[in-house]
Amino acid sequence: MTNAPEPWEPGSGARDADKRHAPATLRNRDAIVAVLRDALPTCGLVLEVASGSGEHAVHFAGAFPTLGWQPSDPDPAALASIAAWRAEAGLPNLRPPVRLDAVGDWPAMEAAAILCINMVHISPWEATLGLMKGAGVTLSSGGLLYLYGPYTKDGVETAPSNLAFDASLKGRDPRWGLRAVDEVIVAAKAQGLDFEKLIEMPANNISLLFRRV
């Protein structure tokens, strides 16, 4: 496979006004980096699915300068934000964003790792199934799929704040909501992705790590 998906280019150039701000990024990015330091390879391409504002991509590319970082998103406003943050950062290992809808066709590339942060609960279940299918094709052998966000666990009481969050998500879109860890593991296994570990994170979030067989 090729490592050169077509980049998304803003029509009028990246502008500061295009930059979005996600407050949660500042709260969780260093905790995520601490997990990734033990999980990522030392070289290769990292694809971030649903990059959102682009703030994570800039922070991670700076923290892991020997890795190539490929942000992506299906939303034109998010792509503009990513491009603006990228232009400001000027990091040589941070690539221009590409359009990628987890449910649709993925750009042709081979990735050593795929990151997906806070998408699984703010999307229909079909997006998670598409993520697993795309990861199964895109990851190199032994490649990492890293998920971060709030989940539920069988036999473990869900934090009241997460229950309230789940209700608010379903109120916005009944197809959204916190997913059960076991269901995510089953979906990954069906695409040749073995569950490696679960790591408890601050603020009732979870890191899930998978490896392509």
Side-chain angles (χ1 to χ4, degrees):
M1 288 185 292
T2 177
N3 265 1
E6 182 179 354
W8 178 89
E9 297 293 348
S12 57
R15 301 168 300 175
D16 191 67
D18 291 325
K19 290 193 297 185
R20 290 178 165 184
H21 298 272
T25 302
L26 293 175
R27 296 194 295 266
N28 63 33
R29 63 187 189 182
D30 290 328
I32 292 172
V33 165
V35 173
L36 294 178
R37 287 203 186 280
D38 293 329
L40 288 174
T42 56
C43 61
L45 179 68
V46 180
L47 169 65
E48 184 182 9
V49 176
S51 297
S53 68
E55 293 166 283
H56 271 143
V58 168
H59 188 72
F60 298 156
F64 300 95
T66 64
L67 289 164
W69 290 84
Q70 178 62 73
S72 72
D73 207 278
D75 178 20
L79 293 168
S81 178
I82 298 163
W85 282 107
R86 175 179 178 269
E88 179 183 83
L91 296 169
N93 62 323
L94 181 57
R95 299 184 175 193
V98 296
R99 277 197 181 94
L100 190 156
D101 186 337
V103 180
D105 294 329
W106 286 38
M109 68 176 79
E110 184 171 345
I114 294 175
L115 273 58
C116 188
I117 297 170
N118 285 332
M119 182 203 82
V120 170
H121 58 287
I122 313 179
S123 61
W125 177 241
E126 288 74 19
T128 298
L129 297 179
L131 171 67
M132 298 305 178
K133 181 180 178 181
V137 172
T138 303
L139 283 173
S140 56
S141 180
L144 169 73
L145 172 62
Y146 173 84
L147 307 182
Y148 171 91
Y151 294 86
T152 63
K153 293 184 291 183
D154 287 348
V156 178
E157 185 177 358
T158 304
S161 61
N162 278 359
L163 290 174
F165 185 39
D166 182 60
S168 70
L169 290 171
K170 288 183 169 65
R172 292 164 61 188
D173 189 323
R175 301 174 301 167
W176 295 3
L178 273 60
R179 311 299 180 187
V181 167
D182 286 349
E183 292 181 357
V184 175
I185 291 174
V186 169
K189 184 71 173 179
Q191 300 298 333
L193 303 166
D194 277 355
F195 175 61
E196 184 173 273
K197 67 174 70 173
L198 179 155
I199 301 174
E200 299 285 352
M201 303 292 283
N204 298 313
N205 288 294
I206 287 173
S207 288
L208 296 176
L209 284 70
F210 302 85
R211 297 281 175 182
R212 185 184 173 207
V213 179

